[in-house]
Amino acid sequence: MASINDEYEKLMMIGQGSFATIWKVRHRKYGYIRTLKILNTPVRDENDRAYQQFLKECTVLLNIGNGSNNNIVRIYQPRLIDNRAVVEMDYIDGETLNDYLQRVRFMPADEVLRFVGEIGGALAYCHHDIYKFMMNPNEDDLTTDPDDGHRYIIDDETKRRLVDKYAVTHNDLHSNNVMRRENDGSYVLLDFGLAIQNGKAVKSSAMHGGALEYMAPEKFNDNSVITTQSDIYSLGVLMFEALAGRVPFVLDKQRISTNPVLAQYDIMRLHQTAMPPSIEALRREAFGNAHPGQTYTKDYPDWLETMILRCLEKDPARRYADAKELMEEFKAQRATPAATVSVTAPKTPAAAPAKPAGQVRSLVPCPDCGHAVSRNAINCPNCGFPLKTTSPTPPKPAANNTGAAKTAPAAPPQPKKKHWPWIVGAIAAVTAVVVLSIVFSKPDGQAPAEEEAQVSGKFVNDIQYITVNGVSFRMIPVQGGTFTMGCTGEQGGDCWD
């Protein structure tokens, strides 16, 4: 019986996890170079449970490949070789987004926009367009177009049904699951091992899994439904990271080595309650680290920051419905003149260029829905709430027939306005905000101030439960031997408050 080493020459180990090992290989007979994923556990036969799980993961990726999206890794037929489950994937010569950001420390604005367009586009394909390449005319009861026998009649209702059935939620977006190609700088989305399709996870035990710094707030609750909007939050973290040089909420690496339960609890609280830190301030800091002695000039459009903040909304309903909607807005914004930005880092200190007319200068919350909008906007683009009204310009007085200008009647004297009530009120409001900020939060995305959490633990039927400040959490194992926590309380989405 042929072995793996008989068929492939192992050139380099790319990575190893608890489930599988990844190799760069050359096929001995045909000479092509691929990535080979090999299950760590030997497989008895094709009915082995581990092999069936492996096939399930491969099937999702094989079907995703029907559309030949250039920004999604492609795999080939899985098989058994000498009681080992293996599958070939395209070898990507490059580095992960995480490694790239650590190396360059500052991603130019034009590359940030390219990254959003490519990975956002790959996700839009998974969230929406994939139905075009997976629909089955017989199973999906499609009607042939009488004018073109090679096409099918798909109305809006049918499209929605097909999208709901075939859309894939990646469920594990983070900077180590994105590769940057060395040859052309393009980005590729990897690892659909935790993907969800038609409400079913590839690995049912990992429905609420993922990297903690990228997880949507609702994923910390066992009872929540994971949707494409959970991916949107994680994509927002990736976009924030590309632009700012770091994720909005940073896991305390030192604390996780000494008290992992509380460290994970802290990051959950941040995702659930804290506002992201200033992107511009972090980008300015990243620029200074990458270009010491040079002066940073804002080099990205305000609408990009607005999009990121919408992705990072705590409530899934306030985010984009899916990556298709996000990409439609992204393309529309880039097509407008206001989207043109300077993308070259200045070599010498220079004054900030004047912004084009109509470009957003600053953002304020909508009084009705809280969505971040331009200070100059007339209506909120999210809820339509009127933000300001415009008054018509008064007509100029008509000229006197005699040629002499008419003298306008003197305005009656106005009573002197009392400004002190406004001043006192403003001081009181500012004082209240400062006090509340001190009580409930810390700057730069740190966890809200609180007393040291009281923690206890127990095992029930081999499942570990942790109680933090009276709230019980079930420890959920995720890939790599680490744990995440799911809330088991009765409060549902308010479980962390």
Side-chain angles (χ1 to χ4, degrees):
M1 180 181 293
S3 67
I4 294 175
N5 289 332
D6 291 335
E7 186 165 344
Y8 298 97
E9 176 189 359
K10 294 178 180 177
L11 303 178
M12 178 181 65
M13 179 187 287
I14 298 174
Q16 184 174 29
S18 59
F19 184 66
T21 302
I22 312 295
W23 290 88
K24 176 184 178 182
V25 300
R26 178 187 288 113
H27 196 275
R28 293 188 184 275
K29 182 176 181 179
Y30 300 111
Y32 61 79
I33 292 179
R34 293 260 170 86
T35 297
L36 189 69
K37 183 175 183 177
I38 307 173
L39 247 63
N40 293 333
T41 305
V43 175
R44 294 189 305 272
D45 54 42
E46 292 187 352
N47 296 319
D48 188 285
R49 181 177 179 182
Y51 184 62
Q52 290 300 315
Q53 178 63 54
F54 179 72
L55 291 179
K56 185 178 179 182
E57 177 183 345
C58 291
T59 299
V60 172
L61 257 178
L62 284 167
N63 290 334
I64 290 174
N66 291 347
S68 300
N69 189 288
N70 290 329
N71 302 110
I72 298 177
V73 65
R74 293 203 65 178
I75 75 166
Y76 302 88
Q77 183 177 1
R79 55 202 179 104
L80 279 175
I81 301 179
D82 192 20
N83 296 105
R84 292 282 184 172
V86 304
V87 63
E88 291 182 8
M89 298 179 285
D90 284 334
Y91 174 70
I92 301 170
D93 186 16
E95 58 189 330
T96 66
L97 175 64
N98 177 66
D99 290 341
Y100 176 65
L101 289 174
Q102 288 188 9
R103 179 170 62 83
V104 302
R105 293 185 289 181
F106 181 87
M107 184 186 288
D110 60 340
E111 187 168 4
V112 174
L113 294 171
R114 176 179 183 174
F115 165 76
V116 175
E118 292 182 347
I119 294 302
L123 207 59
Y125 167 81
C126 295
H127 286 179
H128 187 276
D129 296 341
I130 193 172
Y131 81 90
K132 302 173 185 177
F133 306 96
M134 296 185 68
M135 60 186 185
N136 186 307
N138 295 324
E139 288 184 7
D140 297 322
D141 193 26
L142 302 180
T143 302
T144 304
D145 188 336
D147 298 327
D148 186 348
H150 299 288
R151 301 173 66 88
Y152 300 95
I153 299 175
I154 301 179
D155 55 22
D156 290 343
E157 182 179 350
T158 302
K159 180 188 293 186
R160 186 70 262 165
R161 174 170 56 86
L162 293 173
V163 169
D164 289 342
K165 178 179 179 179
Y166 293 114
V168 173
T169 300
H170 187 281
N171 197 32
D172 193 22
L173 294 171
H174 57 79
S175 57
N176 280 314
N177 272 345
V178 175
M179 290 285 293
R180 182 182 185 272
R181 289 189 176 102
E182 177 68 25
N183 63 330
D184 63 0
S186 61
Y187 292 89
V188 184
L189 184 58
L190 312 176
D191 197 352
F192 285 74
L194 305 185
I196 300 171
Q197 187 176 47
N198 198 18
K200 299 177 182 178
V202 171
K203 297 175 184 173
S204 58
S205 61
M207 177 75 83
H208 290 67
L212 287 169
E213 291 175 318
Y214 299 81
M215 284 175 61
E218 64 271 14
K219 292 182 71 174
F220 297 121
N221 179 7
D222 274 356
N223 300 320
S224 65
V225 178
I226 307 305
T227 68
T228 53
Q229 287 168 307
S230 304
D231 268 357
I232 290 297
Y233 185 93
S234 301
L235 178 61
V237 176
L238 280 171
M239 293 164 63
F240 187 106
E241 183 178 15
L243 194 58
R246 50 153 272 199
V247 294
F249 308 122
V250 180
L251 188 63
D252 188 336
K253 302 298 192 297
Q254 182 176 0
R255 191 175 191 185
I256 201 169
S257 63
T258 58
N259 198 331
V261 172
L262 290 183
Q264 294 181 48
Y265 176 77
D266 285 345
I267 200 75
M268 294 174 190
R269 290 283 297 174
L270 289 170
H271 282 299
Q272 197 81 21
T273 63
M275 293 301 295
S278 166
I279 291 178
E280 184 173 357
L282 289 174
R283 186 163 175 80
R284 185 182 303 277
E285 179 182 347
F287 180 88
N289 293 333
H291 305 282
Q294 297 186 27
T295 301
Y296 172 74
T297 300
K298 186 174 180 181
D299 59 342
Y300 65 91
D302 290 313
W303 58 259
L304 180 60
E305 184 167 347
T306 303
M307 289 182 66
I308 293 173
L309 294 178
R310 182 176 174 188
C311 291
L312 295 177
E313 287 280 4
K314 309 300 183 186
D315 181 0
R318 296 172 68 89
R319 303 172 203 150
Y320 296 97
D322 53 31
K324 181 74 170 181
E325 181 185 1
L326 182 148
M327 289 309 298
E328 288 175 351
E329 180 171 326
F330 177 79
K331 292 175 182 177
Q333 291 283 8
R334 293 209 70 183
T336 61
T340 303
V341 296
S342 173
V343 295
T344 304
K347 299 298 182 181
T348 57
K355 298 189 177 183
Q359 185 172 339
V360 176
R361 297 188 64 87
S362 58
L363 304 175
V364 295
C366 170
D368 188 50
C369 70
H371 182 73
V373 297
S374 164
R375 187 181 298 276
N376 299 322
I378 303 300
N379 298 300
C380 175
N382 185 51
C383 67
F385 185 80
L387 302 175
K388 62 170 64 175
T389 57
T390 57
S391 302
T393 303
K396 295 181 179 180
N400 193 340
N401 289 336
T402 62
K406 290 184 178 180
T407 303
Q414 297 293 328
K416 187 175 182 180
K417 293 184 178 180
K418 296 181 180 180
H419 296 285
W420 64 266
W422 294 97
I423 296 173
V424 173
I427 293 174
V430 171
T431 303
V433 171
V434 171
V435 172
L436 290 175
S437 299
I438 294 174
V439 172
F440 291 106
S441 67
K442 294 182 179 180
D444 294 334
Q446 296 183 15
E450 56 187 356
E451 297 179 358
E452 183 70 15
Q454 302 298 314
V455 181
S456 61
K458 63 180 179 180
F459 282 88
V460 179
N461 296 329
D462 294 328
I463 299 176
Q464 186 177 2
Y465 290 84
I466 300 293
T467 300
V468 182
N469 290 344
V471 181
S472 182
F473 307 95
R474 178 167 64 86
M475 301 298 290
I476 305 169
V478 297
Q479 192 171 4
T482 59
F483 289 85
T484 184
M485 297 191 290
C487 177
T488 61
E490 300 298 327
Q491 301 102 314
D494 296 327
C495 201
W496 308 108
D497 294 337

